[in-house]
Amino acid sequence: GEDVEQSLFLSVREGDSSVINCTYTDSSSTYLYWYKQEPGAGLQLLTYIFSNMDMKQDQRLTVLLNKKDKHLSLRIADTQTGDSAIYFCAEAAGGSNYKLTFGKGTLLTVNP
Amino acid sequence: DVKVTQSSRYLVKRTGEKVFLECVQDMDHENMFWYRQDPGLGLRLIYFSYDVKMKEKGDIPEGYSVSREKKERFSLILESASTNQTSMYLCASSLGGGAGTGELFFGEGSRLTVL
């Protein structure tokens, strides 16, 4: 079955870049996603990348996709304390774009 | 503003009670989902529905059932709550028919404690 792996914790200093990594197993994934969950809230989509792309940039966010290695990363430039949250990597399983498989989430802590 | 609303943010129930968690979306989405979120385990799919009166089991359906009588409403039912069902429950919805990017819109979550 599908599996998505990511490290559980990351701690950075304010102003530094954060890089959150993710590996997935389903080679037929059409879309890959990054979701953000702030304390006490549901998840919100941060960004997504289509599987035929290898990079997507959106303001402070850069997503890199290495399809050969099934590796996805999220880089947050100039990380702020407001970026402290749990970040989930997810893939659209089995080529379908409606059933997502999530990683366990990476808790990003930004220290002043 | 698009919205997924879960009826209760916090619930405390006793072992053996029947529990209903309600979710309503106002985006006319075909697909609706129930996940549970536990520390260290991430999000696990309980059930999903891609149309009214349709349902499919997710990865951990045991001990749960669902109901989708209307397009906008998807209910999660715990027939006889147990302590191992203490968790955060997240409802989500998305466009159907393979449309769009598959983006899930989540509710704020319902934290259930079973004593």
Side-chain angles (χ1 to χ4, degrees), chain B residues 52-63:
Chain B
V52 176
K53 295 192 190 294
M54 304 297 285
K55 61 185 179 186
E56 283 200 28
K57 292 180 180 178
D59 301 317
I60 52 162
E62 297 78 19

Side-chain angles (χ1 to χ4, degrees), chain A:
Chain A
E2 303 86 15
D3 199 16
V4 178
E5 299 281 344
Q6 53 184 126
S7 53
L8 294 182
F9 303 98
L10 177 66
S11 181
V12 301
R13 289 175 62 165
E14 193 173 15
D16 287 351
S17 290
S18 307
V19 179
I20 303 172
N21 294 300
C22 169
T23 57
Y24 61 97
T25 57
D26 188 351
S27 57
S28 64
S29 294
T30 48
Y31 288 94
L32 295 123
Y33 312 83
W34 284 104
Y35 281 81
K36 178 182 180 183
Q37 184 182 34
E38 296 184 352
L43 280 69
Q44 280 191 303
L45 182 69
L46 257 189
T47 186
Y48 67 91
I49 188 165
F50 191 53
S51 58
N52 68 353
M53 299 168 66
D54 49 24
M55 186 177 96
K56 181 178 181 181
Q57 189 139 12
D58 183 1
Q59 299 183 340
R60 292 189 298 121
L61 305 178
T62 304
V63 178
L64 296 178
L65 174 60
N66 181 327
K67 218 175 164 187
K68 174 175 164 290
D69 294 338
K70 298 193 186 73
H71 183 267
L72 182 74
S73 68
L74 173 70
R75 180 176 179 270
I76 306 173
D78 187 25
T79 314
Q80 302 298 307
T81 53
D83 294 323
S84 292
I86 303 175
Y87 291 81
F88 290 91
C89 172
E91 63 170 349
S96 157
N97 74 344
Y98 70 86
K99 187 164 173 280
L100 272 58
T101 299
F102 287 83
K104 291 181 170 50
T106 300
L107 175 62
L108 174 64
T109 303
V110 182
N111 301 303

Side-chain angles (χ1 to χ4, degrees), chain B residues 24-36:
Chain B
V24 176
Q25 51 95 4
D26 64 1
M27 296 166 281
D28 202 35
H29 283 168
E30 277 76 24
N31 302 328
M32 294 189 76
F33 305 80
W34 276 106
Y35 289 88
R36 66 177 279 179

Side-chain angles (χ1 to χ4, degrees), chain B residues 49-72:
Chain B
S49 167
Y50 51 87
D51 202 352
V52 176
K53 295 192 190 294
M54 304 297 285
K55 61 185 179 186
E56 283 200 28
K57 292 180 180 178
D59 301 317
I60 52 162
E62 297 78 19
Y64 303 95
S65 63
V66 290
S67 171
R68 190 149 180 221
E69 295 297 317
K70 292 186 177 181
K71 190 177 185 181
E72 66 271 17

